[in-house]
């Protein structure tokens, strides 16, 4: 193998910043999904309460 064919040292190591981006996006996606579930649950709960007359002023 000639020197031109050899891979430089550390060529297969990804940049340090790229290693952190993956988990950050996963955490943000989990948080967004949790907020979506909570908001939908609140809306459904309010709709059921209102239709049952619990939130009525009378």
């Amino acid at each position: 193998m000639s020197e031109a064919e050899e891979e430089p040292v550390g060529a297969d190591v990804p940049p340090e910043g790229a290693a952190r981006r993956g988990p950050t996006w996963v955490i943000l996606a989990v948080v967004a999904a949790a907020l979506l579930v909570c908001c939908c649950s609140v809306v459904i709960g309010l709709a059921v309460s209102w239709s049952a007359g619990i939130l009525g002023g009378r």
Side-chain angles (χ1 to χ4, degrees):
M1 201 183 251
S2 69
E3 288 183 31
E5 294 176 359
E6 291 180 11
E7 292 183 17
V9 177
D12 58 344
V13 178
E16 187 175 328
R20 294 180 144 191
R21 288 188 190 134
T24 302
W25 286 112
V26 171
I27 291 170
L28 288 176
V30 169
V31 170
L35 286 173
L36 182 67
V37 169
C38 290
C39 291
C40 288
S41 298
V42 168
V43 168
I44 291 170
L46 287 173
V48 169
S49 298
W50 182 70
S51 66
I54 296 173
L55 296 179
R58 301 182 226 175

